[in-house]
């Protein structure tokens, strides 16, 4: 489960995506099927299939995903109103793309956490 996904093609710009931020360790782009007015995915350049494969060596980069999400929310004017950050893991978590990613959802009240 360490093979490339569609997200590697987005990182290499082999397929189009609305990239809103990138640096040496992470890339952020708009979700193709937004679940909120603002729905951005922040992903590591390194392929980590799920949160289960994250290691101690990844901790700095994983923290960076959060600070970049907050930066994007501030730059787009929805940080003060608030947003949700979410990482899905494996089948029960509803993960579809096996390249770890942080969802940034905002632009309206996101509502309560829903299970089931
Ligand atoms: P997951 O369910 O794995 O946490 O979320 C995967 C997300 O990736 C979904 O919200 C889905 O809409 C988004 N996604 C899947 N394929 C593409 C794509 O080719 N381009 C973009 N921009 N988003 C994608």
């Amino acid at each position: 489960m360490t093979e490339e996904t569609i997200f590697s093609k987005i990182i290499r710009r082999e397929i189009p995506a609305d990239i809103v931020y990138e640096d040496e360790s992470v890339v952020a782009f708009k979700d193709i099927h937004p679940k909120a007015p603002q729905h951005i995915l922040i992903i590591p350049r390194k392929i980590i299939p799920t949160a289960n494969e994250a290691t101690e060596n990844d901790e700095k980069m994983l923290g960076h995903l959060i600070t970049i999400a907050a930066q994007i929310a501030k730059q787009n004017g929805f940080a003060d109103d608030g947003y949700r950050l979410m990482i899905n893991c494996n089948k029960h978590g509803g993960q579809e793309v096996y390249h770890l990613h942080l969802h940034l959802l905002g632009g309206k009240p996101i509502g309560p956490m829903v299970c089931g």
Side-chain angles (χ1 to χ4, degrees), residues 7 10 29-32 41 88 94-97 101 103:
F7 287 178
I10 289 174
F29 52 92
K30 293 186 180 176
D31 196 292
I32 202 167
L41 304 174
N88 296 323
Q95 186 172 3
E96 293 171 11
V97 179
H101 48 281
H103 292 259

Side-chain angles (χ1 to χ4, degrees), residues 11 25 43-48 55 57-58 61 99-100:
I11 290 170
S25 60
I43 73 172
R45 288 186 185 276
K46 175 185 174 185
I47 300 175
I48 302 171
T55 71
N57 292 335
D58 300 315
M61 179 278 295
H99 181 137
L100 187 146

